[in-house]
Each structure stands twice: as C-alpha cells, then as structure tokens.
Amino acid sequence: MDKKSKIYLAGHRGLVGSALKRRLESKGYSNLIFRTHRELDLTKQQAVNEFFEREKPEYVFLAAAKVGGILANNTYPAEFIYENLMIEANIIHASYRYGVKKLLFLGSSCIYPKLAPQPLKEEYLLTGSLEETNEAYAIAKIAGIRLCKHYNQQYGTNFISVMPTNLYGPNDNFDLETSHVMPALIRKFHEAKVKNEPEVVIWGTGKPLREFMHVDDMADACVYLMENFNIDDIGEFVNIGVGKDITIGELSELIKEIVGFEGEIKKDLSKPDGTPQKLLDITKLSSLGWKAKISLKDGIEQTYEWYQSQK
Ligand code: GFB
C-alpha cells in the first residue's frame, strides 16, 4: 500500500472500522473510501458489485459485520449467520472480480472449538465443536476465513485473515442488551455511581476468562500486516491478541475501581457464562514483529473518558 492507494474501508463507523480509519489517516493514507449502511447495503450482491466496478479499490479492509455480545449472539442467531455470510461473500467475491490487490478479513476468536487447549493456536481451527451461544456467528466467520483461503488457492488472490481477541474502545456499542461485557460494565458502573445505587449486577458466575485488547492496538496491527506481509508470509490467518487474560470477576473489580463506584457487585446466574476461556496464542504474530502497546488499565481509562465525553 502506498499513501495514495485507493483503500475501501468496509464498516468505517463501527468499533474496529473507526479505529482503522483513525490509524490510516494518522499515517497519511489520503485516498480512503467509505459508504454508510444507508448508501450501500453490503448484504445486496448487485449493489456491492456496482460499487466495486465504479470505485475499483486497490485495497480492502473488511471490518463490516453484524456483531454483539453473548446475549445478542444467542438471541438473534439467524441474523448473525445470514448477515455475516452475505457481507463476506459479496465483498470477497467482488474483490476477486474487480482485481483488489490485497484484502484483510477480520474474524473472531470465537471461531475456535469451545474446549480447545489454551492458548489457542491457529491450527486448532475446526478441530472440535463450537460454543453454543455464538455458533451462528462463528460459522459465518469460519466461512469468511475459508472464502479467503479458497479464493487464494483457486484464483491466486492475496486475501489475508486476522483473528482478533475481545476488543473494546471508542465507538463501541454500549447498549446493555446487545453489547459485549466491557462497554456493558463501564456503563453499569458509571450509571450506578451517578445514581448512587448500592450494587451492580454482572452476568454469569464471573469465572470465565477473557483476553481484552484496545481497538487502537488492533487497528495498528491490521495496518502493519497490510503494509508488510502477504498471504505467503501469514498463512491461512493470524491471531491478534495481547497474550494474557483475566476473569470477568477481576475485570469487574478493575472497572469498578477506574469508575470510582463504591457499592457491591452481584451476580445474575440466570445469564450464560459462554466459553470458559479463549486466550489466543500470539506466537505467530510475535514472529511477524508486532506486539500490543496499550495496557488494560490505560485502555479502560481512555475508553471511560471517551464514554463520558459522549454524554
Ligand atoms: O463480551 P461477552 O458478551 O461475550 O461476554 P463473549 C463475556 C463474558 O462476560 C460472559 C459476562 O461470561 C458474560 O456472561 N458478562 C458479565 C457480561 N456481565 C456482562 C454484561 O453486563 N454484559 C455482557 N455482554 N456480558 C462474544 C461472542 O462472546 O465475544 C461473539 O458472543 C464474539 O461471538 C465476541 O466472539 C468477541 O466473549 O462470551
């Protein structure tokens, strides 16, 4: 990629897409193109083909997806599988058809088997059953990885895939029903503090382990990989994580402290825990010369400041 390359950023308003936009702009990339959902419905094949034919992007970051936390995944599985399959198939096929030089597809750590050994190595893909609460989303993301792989195999394209761990940061979804745990807890602790409430309720047992990465680190990793590596260097895909995880109980205590809430933490055991642990093995990423820079505490503090600035 050079600074004048025409780069299509799909999903530029989301958590990851907006971070990619900030990163690319700060590095001087001056020919970025985007479309809002209203301007281009990525589930419509003809609309996507027309867009690619007209714009002929040279590089594509595929960060558009239907995403959500454990409850949203479990409640709307048909939407998660359908929308993600359509978006991926349309963009990946159009990228092949209209000669995109390199594409980066974003997957998710939930593609791994529920009970795979930890940390999760790239080679564990498709070696066991998936976590039930997000099977629909995971199947769609696995299909995206394999679309890239098979287009590379048959057509000689250069479509690389990355598997991020649980991400958080500015422009996340803070809706308590559909969000991931990080924005949900930032909001719950903040509102409880402001309203002087005695307790905050977290879902599940608090025992599951999760690995969290600030989305600015994620964006930095994606741009670094797109700038420096091709499919032959990366292989089928590469994990992007920080290499350590914490329990949801510990995360709750940390957010409680950062927000400055002084009440109790209660558990709602009627809500699912999800997969017990999903810590990514980052050996391959490290060998490619990249590591995360933002500590969990700094990242949460920065995200909490951003959240308050939106109020
Ligand atoms: O982030 P989260 O929704 O998704 O939940 P997953 C992580 C853990 O936090 C679960 C607990 O054990 C939740 O029960 N938790 C505690 C909460 N309190 C809350 C709360 O108030 N809200 C939420 N949302 N969780 C998702 C997948 O799994 O992770 C997606 O469903 C995707 O497909 C994404 O892979 C990264 O980490 O369990």
Side-chain angles (χ1 to χ4, degrees), residues 68-71 73 108-110 133-134 137 165-167 176 179-182 184-185 188 201-204 208 210 248 271-275 278:
I70 192 165
L71 196 65
N73 270 270
S108 164
S109 59
C110 68
T133 54
N134 58 34
Y137 180 72
T165 189
N166 287 34
L167 302 171
L176 293 179
S179 69
H180 290 101
V181 62
M182 182 73 84
L185 294 189
K188 284 182 182 177
V201 178
I202 66 164
W203 296 353
R210 292 290 182 276
I248 298 302
K271 293 287 196 306
D273 267 348
T275 198
K278 45 179 174 180

Side-chain angles (χ1 to χ4, degrees), residues 14-210:
L15 173 68
V16 178
S18 61
L20 283 168
K21 184 167 179 284
R22 289 194 295 279
R23 186 72 194 124
L24 288 165
E25 285 173 346
S26 78
K27 291 199 83 175
Y29 288 94
S30 58
N31 196 6
L32 307 180
I33 53 171
F34 333 100
R35 289 294 182 274
T36 62
H37 185 86
R38 195 203 283 238
E39 291 164 341
L40 175 61
D41 180 346
L42 295 170
T43 65
K44 302 285 185 288
Q45 186 185 34
Q46 196 180 336
V48 172
N49 281 338
E50 283 168 7
F51 167 74
F52 272 76
E53 187 174 17
R54 199 168 48 245
E55 294 291 343
K56 301 224 168 38
E58 294 168 85
Y59 295 90
V60 172
F61 286 84
L62 206 181
K66 165 96 181 163
V67 300
I70 192 165
L71 196 65
N73 270 270
N74 209 14
T75 314
Y76 310 109
E79 291 173 33
F80 275 81
I81 194 164
Y82 172 75
E83 290 182 31
N84 285 304
L85 284 172
M86 297 304 281
I87 293 169
E88 292 157 13
N90 290 340
I91 294 186
I92 291 168
H93 187 69
S95 294
Y96 150 65
R97 198 165 151 182
Y98 297 102
V100 166
K101 291 180 188 156
K102 201 192 291 190
L103 172 145
L104 181 128
F105 170 69
L106 281 111
S108 164
S109 59
C110 68
I111 55 146
Y112 288 109
K114 175 174 184 161
L115 300 176
Q118 306 284 323
L120 298 156
K121 294 183 196 294
E122 286 87 354
E123 70 220 44
Y124 298 163
L125 178 69
L126 292 173
T127 55
S129 304
L130 299 162
E131 154 64 26
E132 303 76 34
T133 54
N134 58 34
E135 191 199 75
Y137 180 72
I139 296 267
K141 287 293 179 184
I142 293 170
I145 299 171
R146 288 288 152 104
L147 272 164
C148 290
K149 174 181 167 174
H150 294 305
Y151 275 61
N152 292 336
Q153 183 190 340
Q154 186 176 341
Y155 301 131
T157 48
N158 191 13
F159 297 166
I160 62 180
S161 296
V162 292
M163 294 311 117
T165 189
N166 287 34
L167 302 171
Y168 68 94
N171 294 319
D172 209 341
N173 167 20
F174 285 79
D175 178 291
L176 293 179
E177 291 297 305
T178 57
S179 69
H180 290 101
V181 62
M182 182 73 84
L185 294 189
I186 290 176
R187 178 171 173 178
K188 284 182 182 177
F189 281 108
H190 175 76
E191 290 183 351
K193 182 179 95 168
V194 171
K195 294 180 191 155
N196 222 358
E197 283 169 356
E199 63 183 42
V200 160
V201 178
I202 66 164
W203 296 353
T205 61
K207 289 183 187 154
L209 284 148
R210 292 290 182 276

